[in-house]
Amino acid sequence: AQTVTQSQPEMSVQEAETVTLSCTYDTSESDYYLFWYKQPPSRQMILVIRQEAYKQQNATENRFSVNFQKAAKSFSLKISDSQLGDAAMYFCAYYVEGSNYKLTFGKGTLLTVNP
Amino acid sequence: SQTIHQWPATLVQPVGSPLSLECTVEGTSNPNLYWYRQAAGRGLQLLFYSVGIGQISSEVPQNLSASRPQDRQFILSSKKLLLSDSGFYLCAWSVDNTIYFGEGSWLTVV
């Protein structure tokens, strides 16, 4: 079965500091897409960043970047210069190519940003 | 631009009553559409997905059903709600190998 593990149920970071959220996944497929989503108190699921498994270069989106280690099946999210608005639940997810884009989600990491 | 709308945003329904949640996508044609549920303190679980009009695939057996009467419309229904149907329901669609979500609907069954 395909699974996603987020080993940190909760994390906290000081404003302007850097924090890394961990994610590991388990699939026997070689072609897949990985995602980090952010869910603020409004509950809307917002895409943060995407990584194609066939790309070796780590994806970046402004203050957000990933460390993708395909062999280790690890996909961590780094948030630099943390802002109060980054406080949210963060979900790691992926789908396998050819699966009709069916996402498998981790259980999430609750990030608190301290002023 | 492409957008997704989901309603109602909040719903309180008695046990045994029917349910209808609606999702509409704008700005694209023939999208893949999805219904996910998020129970309290949990990640998202895929309930249904659709690759076209009238084509519905169910991921988990349950008290719910889905329909796609039009290309950009996806409906989640139940004939008789159970307490266990309470949760946060999210409609989603896929474009450019990425999945985007609607605003979500809070369902409380009392």
Side-chain angles (χ1 to χ4, degrees), chain B residues 1-109:
Chain B
S1 64
Q2 300 142 338
T3 58
I4 184 168
H5 300 287
Q6 184 179 339
W7 70 94
T10 305
L11 202 58
V12 180
Q13 292 286 99
V15 169
S17 65
L19 170 73
S20 181
L21 299 178
E22 190 165 340
C23 171
T24 300
V25 178
E26 297 177 358
T28 188
S29 60
N30 197 32
N32 281 14
L33 296 171
Y34 309 83
W35 279 109
Y36 284 85
R37 177 170 61 197
Q38 184 178 29
R42 291 182 150 185
L44 272 69
Q45 179 187 38
L46 178 63
L47 302 176
F48 301 94
Y49 73 94
S50 172
V51 300
I53 296 174
Q55 300 178 64
I56 308 295
S57 296
S58 174
E59 290 296 299
V60 290
Q62 59 202 316
N63 185 44
L64 301 168
S65 63
S67 62
R68 186 167 176 177
Q70 300 179 38
D71 180 45
R72 290 173 288 175
Q73 183 185 30
F74 202 25
I75 298 171
L76 183 69
S77 304
S78 174
K79 292 182 179 178
K80 291 185 178 182
L81 284 168
L82 305 172
L83 287 174
S84 58
D85 292 325
S86 294
F88 189 61
Y89 290 81
L90 284 152
C91 182
W93 66 307
S94 58
V95 60
D96 296 334
N97 294 317
T98 301
I99 296 84
Y100 298 94
F101 289 85
E103 306 94 334
S105 298
W106 267 113
L107 171 64
T108 303
V109 182

Side-chain angles (χ1 to χ4, degrees), chain A residues 20-36:
Chain A
T20 298
L21 308 184
S22 301
C23 172
T24 57
Y25 56 94
D26 186 16
T27 179
S28 57
E29 303 293 332
S30 58
D31 294 328
Y32 49 90
Y33 293 76
L34 295 149
F35 303 85
W36 279 97

Side-chain angles (χ1 to χ4, degrees), chain A residues 37 39 43 50 95 100-101, chain B residues 34 38 96 98-99 106:
Chain A
Y37 287 91
Q39 189 177 42
R43 299 304 294 266
R50 182 188 86 170
Y95 73 81
N100 285 316
Y101 311 101
Chain B
Y34 309 83
Q38 184 178 29
D96 296 334
T98 301
I99 296 84
W106 267 113

